[in-house]
Structures are given as C-alpha cells and as structure tokens.
Amino acid sequence: MTRVPRWLLRHRVVIEAYEGDGAYGPTYGPPVEVPALVDEKHRVIRSQAEARSGRTITSTAQLIAAPDVVCPAESRITLPDGRITRALTVAHHTAPGLPVPQSVEVMCE
C-alpha cells in the first residue's frame, strides 16, 4: 500500500473522534495529534448528514492525512492556528493495485 508521503504532511492537527450523542450532547474520544496537510479555503460541499436533503454547506478548511487516521464525520478538530472546527465529510482515498498514495480527506466546517 502506497501512503501519502509523510513529508507532505506539514501541519499538526488535533482530532477528537466523534463517538455519538450522550445525555449531554456529542461525546468524543481522547485528543490525538496527527500530521496533516491543511488548506484553509472556502468550498461549497454537500455534507454526509445533509446528502439526503440536497442542501449544500460551506467548508472553510480541508485536510489530508494518513489513511489510518480515525476521524468520523462530526469529529472535533483543532487546526494549527488554534481554531476548533468539526468534520463535515470524510473521504478515504484508496486505489488498490495502483501506484497512487492512499489518504483520508476531511472537509471541515
């Protein structure tokens, strides 16, 4: 398996994986610092939660990380500048048998 090269992952983000809703709101796993490539750009996307309704939303940051990073939609993410956001969509890019890097792409609120 070819992974996204570690030298491309220039930033550090902290991910608190979404574990579900509890009696007092969303619950998250412990914070984990991971290397990532962060691009803070506005993009119009359709979130996984909104896909059925056809509504679009704006993503203000996108990140690429190693393929084994655990970051389900709704996870809490602290970006390198300290801003706390949440994962809107998560895409696992794999290409079995092809010489292209595998990665996880996260679109953030």
Side-chain angles (χ1 to χ4, degrees):
M1 165 170 80
T2 304
R3 298 166 54 101
V4 63
R6 192 163 176 86
W7 60 268
L8 283 176
L9 308 176
R10 310 294 275 188
H11 304 104
R12 297 290 177 266
V13 297
V14 176
I15 298 175
E16 297 171 72
Y18 177 73
E19 294 181 339
D21 288 326
Y24 302 104
T27 59
Y28 302 97
V32 177
E33 185 177 85
V34 298
L37 179 63
V38 178
D39 180 24
E40 295 195 52
K41 182 187 330 183
H42 286 76
R43 293 184 185 172
V44 176
I45 64 166
R46 184 165 294 142
S47 79
Q48 291 169 341
E50 305 291 337
R52 290 185 205 101
S53 68
R55 292 183 9 199
T56 57
I57 54 178
T58 302
S59 168
T60 60
Q62 302 78 44
L63 62 94
I64 301 290
D68 55 352
V69 168
V70 176
C71 182
E74 301 299 321
S75 293
R76 190 165 40 203
I77 301 169
T78 304
L79 299 175
D81 64 1
R83 182 167 65 101
I84 297 174
T85 184
R86 69 182 176 101
L88 297 171
T89 64
V90 180
H92 297 272
H93 298 292
T94 62
L98 296 176
V100 295
Q102 297 184 3
S103 62
V104 170
E105 179 184 31
V106 181
M107 302 298 246
C108 302
E109 182 176 56

